Amino acid sequence: MMITKKNSKVNFDYIFADTSFEKLMQHRIINVLLVCSNYDAFMLEEDGRIDEQIFTEYVSLNLRYPPKFAQVSTREEALESLKERSYDLIIMMLSIDKHDTIGIANDLKSKHNDIPIVLLTHFTRKVTEKIENENLTSIDYVFCWLNNSSLLMAIVKLLEDKMNAENDINNIGTQCIILVEDSIRYYSSYLPNIYRILLQQSEALTADGLNHHQKTMRKRGRPKLLLASNLEDAITLYNKYKTNLLGIISDISFKNHGIQDERAGIKFCELVMSQDTSIPFVLQSSDIEHSETAKNLGAHFLDKYSKTLIPELTEYLKEQFLFGDFLFRDPKTNKVINTASDLKSLQQVIMQIPDDSVAFHANNNHFSKWLKTRSMFSLARLMEPRKCSDYDSIYAMKKSMFDTIVGYRVTKSRGQIAKFDKDKFDNYVVFSRIGDGSLGGKARGLAFIDTILKKNMIINKFDDVVITIPNTVVVCTDVFDEFMQKNNLYKIALSDISDEEILNHFISGKLPKRVLSDLRSYIENTQKPIAVRSSSLLEDSFYQPFAGIYSTYLIPNNDEDTIARRRELYNAIKSVWASVFFKESKAYMAATSSMIDEEKMGVVLQEVTGTDYGKLYYPSLSGVARSYNFYPIEAENSKDGVANIAFGLGKTIVDGGTTLRFSPKYPKKIVQLSSTEYAIKDAQKEFYAINLETKSYKPNIDEGANLLKLPISVAENDQALHMAISVLDRENNTLQPGSNERGLRVVTFDNILKYNSFPLADILCNLLETGEREMNCPVEIEFAINFNVPKGEPKLFNFLQIRPIVHGSESIDINLNEIKESETILISKKCLGNGSFTDIFDFVYVKPEAFDASKTQLIADEIGNINQELIKNKRKYILVGPGRWGSSDPWLGIPVKWSQISGAQLITESGLNNFRIEPSQGTHFFQNLTSLGMGYFTINPFINDGYYDIDFLGKQNCIFENQYIRHIRFDNALNIKIDGRKGLGIIFKP
């Protein structure tokens, strides 16, 4: 099945149906009962057990599921063994003297009709005569034992192919070969050799597998071999499987309706060729005179008496059935002019192959046949009908093939976690791993995104947009373990030394040798700046997301010196590992009752979304969106979701800077833009970018130290800004989208949100709805967009992360009409959380009358001291203050770090008459508060939004007070109730 999409980037024109490899080979032969005398068993085994022989045979071909053998000597033992256990196959050794082998077979078949029986015999004249005179209706196959243990493997595979043919060939698309031969002697010789070729071909299928599991599963797609011994059976097999037929090998003389027909094979060949002359057909006979007839029919002829029969057959199969490498030939000389060992190399060489060679192979369906032998059925079906006459030129055909292969490779990498291969670096592999440990939470989230994008066909759902994850490589947690142990870092990391000292020890550590070559390959093949992101076991977990606790480092990756670029990457990885043990992380661990020495850290390596603007690199837009809006305004519903977007890197958003807030359901209704004055005042004034100056990256405990925070005006001439800004028309006091006019530039994103020049709102609605459905809970997503792309290519929407929004489960119902304000300290009509708290005695608040926005850093430090003391005494507390808690901009609120408020149970953002800031929804800081089940209130009593009895607090005795802060400890516990459904929260007086 193929789905096409118009106006898309060519790499994503096609979505190819996945081959259900897990549905192939559902029926296996596992247990085999061998019925023969002890002497025959000894002769079969020679110097080893049959189990060991066939196991060795399987291992040599990298096969799984070798069968197990049990041997009995008599009819009675056989029947008893069949009662005791289940068997998938019975093999009997023909005895020409004492035992009635055929009689035993008839008896066993009558009682176990579903078990195939194979008769194994030595090749002698006496045996041949015995077989010719016996009724073999109970025998499924007769084989001649030629002292070759690979025959046992061929018998098992032939029966497995027969059992699975109906489903695997007709339903899935596996290819098949029909062998028509009635000579026991010949097919007993052919089968092991043909199967060895087929199984070697199945090993070649692994070249296009992205990981060990996929490589193993792809082997199931090898071509099947089906055996017929008469004309009726041959025609039946042909009619049933001809649409998936690789070729036919046929004897010439065999039975036709029960009578030996000296021309049966020729009749069969004539039938097939009358319908399809492109099917490779081998006619073989001991009569050399038939060679001319075969040639006239377009078939290949083999002399059965030739001493090189098997090598000739092998060579023909490899060449005509297109096993092994694809051989590009000169149609005039048949000389090989180039080869392709896998799909990647086919893509690389196709444009360089001479036109006449491509035309020759295309017109003979060689490309589609080769792809079918490699189990690429959906791609083969797309290639099959293509002939030169369908195109204006051979070049156009080659370009179409190239684009189709690219589309297939991109699509097939979706939803797969590939094993990173340093020797075969592939830019079309979206997600790969280095190491064998866990991916960590953030990487799991990315892999999940990749899966749902593919599953829900979102990748190219919107015109002129590609929705994807950035190319991602994950360094797994086992590499972290090895690094920590070999460098003896746990003792240092768990100590109380400073973050700077911890970082220095980690930077001095040596990475495991086993990953250095992989990382070298990665850096040598990656040209864009790289985000080195944390991915711990706990990070973004379902019940307790650790959002933004650990560090992310952005490295420019643009030094001409490859060694310097490697060093940057190595140091950034070590820095992420070190951040597990920084003070901030340890405080969060303590707050969540997690054991820090049990934490494991994976590292995500990603190309940063964006464009190079001279010495700067940044995306056109970054954003965070939530499927649940805790602060809906007018017309909006909580379930409509909310988004915050900013120009440049997303650090502006996660640090609580000035962003544009909107609901994806109402993209034209934006409070910040409700008036020109508000728009100018509340618009984004600064943005973050990566510094591309050589060697700009330096290890630092501050992950933003290597970034530049710049005024918006710096980007005025950059194309990225054109979609984001409006220009103030002073004459009409209006904002006009675009940057063509002269005037004050204001970041409004009007072109996108009001005029839909990019379908951001529709994309977010779709992703939030899909994410919530797939995770079965509200979700938060992060994304980055690049509009500045090469001409003709679609714009890029990079889906960076998805995490659950954790809700409380306790049912609380608050009716404000039944509550007297005089009984409360604080009432919030915009709160987050759910449940009740009855064990809190401590209340810490910033005194409104003394608040000074220029002193917020001093206030943060003092709150940190109080927090540390309360944690030491295991006391939870309430914290109230103006503006945004945790903002990196001290003019927007109090810039506390997590470790400075980690002991709080309830935090309130309280507006002042001259200090009104939008709630800090959409930040990592905010996400962590909610995930810990803490209450989060927003009030602004100066505009009648909530209630705050500051006079009551001022009359209470305090245990600490300075110019800005008071800490009260009540004798009786405070009663806190939060109704998460209504967004109501109350703190009752004790």
Side-chain angles (χ1 to χ4, degrees), residues 11 45 48 78 226 234 290 314 399 502 843 845 849 906:
N11 292 23
E45 294 175 359
L226 305 174
H290 287 303
T314 300
K399 184 64 168 61
I502 289 174
F843 197 113
Y845 68 100
E849 70 278 6
L906 170 62

Side-chain angles (χ1 to χ4, degrees), residues 147-162:
N147 297 314
N148 181 4
S149 62
S150 60
L151 176 62
L152 295 174
M153 179 271 296
I155 292 170
V156 169
K157 291 301 170 189
L158 180 71
L159 287 163
E160 287 181 344
D161 283 359
K162 182 179 180 181

Side-chain angles (χ1 to χ4, degrees), residues 134 169 226 307 405 428 452 511 627 640 681 704 889 943:
E134 289 281 359
I169 299 174
L226 305 174
K307 293 180 179 180
I405 293 171
Y428 296 120
I452 63 175
L511 291 172
S627 64
D640 290 337
K681 176 177 176 293
D889 186 343
I943 55 172

Side-chain angles (χ1 to χ4, degrees), residues 168-197:
D168 293 10
I169 299 174
N170 286 341
N171 295 339
I172 309 297
T174 300
Q175 302 299 286
C176 68
I177 298 169
I178 297 174
L179 172 63
V180 189
E181 179 61 72
D182 63 348
S183 168
I184 298 171
R185 171 68 177 80
Y186 276 102
Y187 69 62
S188 295
S189 175
Y190 284 162
L191 285 172
N193 287 283
I194 296 175
Y195 267 112
R196 183 162 289 275
I197 297 169

